[in-house]
Amino acid sequence: MSRRSLAIDLTVNRGGIRGRFAPSPTGALHFGSLVAALASFLEARQNQGTWLLRIEDIDGPRAEPGATDAILRALDRHGLHWDESVWYQSQRQDCYRETLERLLHLDLAYPCTCTRRELASHPIRAHDGSPIYPGYCQNGVCQPGRPAAIRLRVANTPVVFQDALRGHQEQCLEREVGDFVIRRADGLFAYQLAVVVDDAAQGITQVVRGGDLLDSTPRQIYLQNLLSLPTPTYAHLPVALDQHGYKLSKQSGAAPLDLDQPGSALWSALHFLGQNPPPDLNGEPPTTILAWAHAHWRLEQVPAVPAMPMHR
Ligand code: GLU
Ligand code: ZN
């Protein structure tokens, strides 16, 4: 069943602030995801706001069976209780399709048949190493008959925003990103499109998430502007690194949270977030730690850096 864009439950008006945690169910929660969950939770709760949970299971092939249940269980064990019902991106395809059609109809997006291989030889690359799309299909697909991705036309004007932690941000999409894919050739909707549609549909006013997504934010703001959707505030947290300096991720085999030690993970996450939790709080039950965190949480104390070792 798909939920329509305006189906926001505003019956409980908790100061109007709406935050969210939006994990992809590619594996169990690890320390890095707990940091994002906890910071977004505390930022919403301290402002008497609402905290929502959205499972970003849009990429069916990458979803790991059982991961969603494991995520819900881990959040619950750590005392991070969400409001309203959980949203699943797999149930929201109709809304993404509708938005995509609108963009195509306005000629803000176009089909592209270029393959990854064809683009790999293109010399201009974005920060993340991916080639900047050279625009081959901008005025009609190069290879009619091939399955087509849909790309969004970007502009040459900078997208500017103020990140609550990382400060002034500016990106010229045309120069630094290029026309980007909003639906893949295999029919899957891209994260950038789904996240924008859902943040708006859930009435999200503040996004607190990992710093690895800072670079995606201008694309999301650009899309919000095209679709006349409001732009939430953004705060990008430091990415947690393992002892080898790699980002903790499910793909790189980060250890899942130990559900028998929630008090120690919560304490470490608060410590990582620069909140100086008292040492004797370490290992206390989640309710005790969260009560302390609720009273003392200050976003400004979170280090404004792209990444930090998890043990410091
Ligand atoms: N689903 C994304 C992830 O797990 C996060 C999306 C977001 O917070 O905007 O990396
Ligand atoms: Zn193309």
Side-chain angles (χ1 to χ4, degrees), residues 20 22-24 54 56 191 195 207 209 212-213 220 250:
R20 51 51 160 203
S24 308
R54 180 169 75 231
E56 302 212 320
Y191 158 69
V195 75
V207 171
R209 62 184 175 190
D212 48 330
L213 293 165
Q220 296 172 16
K250 296 154 194 166

Side-chain angles (χ1 to χ4, degrees), residues 19-297:
R20 51 51 160 203
F21 176 52
S24 308
T26 48
L29 284 194
H30 54 74
F31 181 77
S33 23
L34 180 68
V35 163
L38 180 62
S40 59
F41 173 86
L42 290 171
E43 192 55 19
R45 284 286 181 266
Q46 209 183 40
N47 291 293
Q48 287 80 47
T50 303
W51 187 64
L52 305 177
L53 178 60
R54 180 169 75 231
I55 300 294
E56 302 212 320
D57 56 352
I58 194 169
D59 192 345
R62 271 184 62 225
E64 189 189 288
T68 295
D69 285 348
I71 290 171
L72 302 190
R73 206 171 331 112
L75 290 173
D76 190 58
R77 275 296 284 147
H78 288 80
L80 302 176
H81 303 299
W82 56 91
D83 301 310
E84 304 177 12
S85 52
V86 181
W87 277 34
Y88 294 90
Q89 289 196 325
S90 55
Q91 298 173 359
R92 305 221 352 106
Q93 305 290 317
D94 292 351
C95 289
Y96 309 143
R97 193 166 301 116
E98 211 171 275
T99 305
L100 187 86
E101 271 156 23
R102 220 170 109 203
L103 292 167
L104 283 168
H105 180 74
L106 295 168
D107 197 31
L108 296 168
Y110 60 90
C112 164
T113 53
C114 302
T115 61
R116 197 170 293 193
R117 165 117 51 92
E118 283 162 358
L119 296 177
S121 57
H122 186 73
I124 307 172
R125 296 192 174 258
H127 324 280
D128 63 358
S130 60
I132 292 181
Y133 184 64
Y136 299 141
C137 298
Q138 267 169 356
N139 302 309
V141 292
C142 298
Q143 299 284 336
R146 264 197 204 163
I150 305 292
R151 286 184 187 272
L152 191 74
R153 286 185 210 280
V154 296
N156 184 12
T157 44
V159 177
V160 176
F161 72 101
Q162 191 70 19
D163 187 87
L165 284 170
R166 304 284 298 280
H168 178 89
Q169 304 291 322
E170 194 168 331
Q171 193 179 58
C172 174
L173 292 177
E174 188 177 285
R175 225 180 34 246
E176 300 176 60
V177 179
D179 291 352
F180 59 92
V181 171
I182 53 177
R183 199 202 66 197
R184 297 181 353 190
D186 62 8
L188 285 183
F189 291 99
Y191 158 69
Q192 308 292 357
L193 180 77
V195 75
V196 164
V197 170
D198 286 350
D199 279 342
Q202 289 191 288
I204 300 302
T205 62
Q206 60 180 30
V207 171
V208 179
R209 62 184 175 190
D212 48 330
L213 293 165
L214 182 63
D215 194 57
S216 286
T217 308
R219 272 170 270 184
Q220 296 172 16
I221 293 176
Y222 178 72
L223 256 172
Q224 288 154 3
N225 292 343
L226 289 182
L227 296 165
S228 307
L229 298 173
T231 292
T233 60
Y234 288 96
H236 286 89
L237 307 164
V239 169
L241 306 175
D242 66 16
Q243 68 269 39
H244 308 294
Y246 292 113
K247 177 193 162 193
L248 292 185
S249 73
K250 296 154 194 166
Q251 291 78 6
S252 71
L257 293 169
D258 178 353
L259 298 195
D260 293 327
Q261 309 277 339
S264 123
L266 282 171
W267 189 93
S268 300
L270 285 171
H271 176 68
F272 179 86
L273 288 163
Q275 305 299 306
N276 303 317
D280 60 2
L281 205 61
N282 196 343
E284 289 293 313
T287 42
T288 311
I289 298 187
L290 291 175
W292 180 90
H294 190 273
H296 295 89
W297 169 253

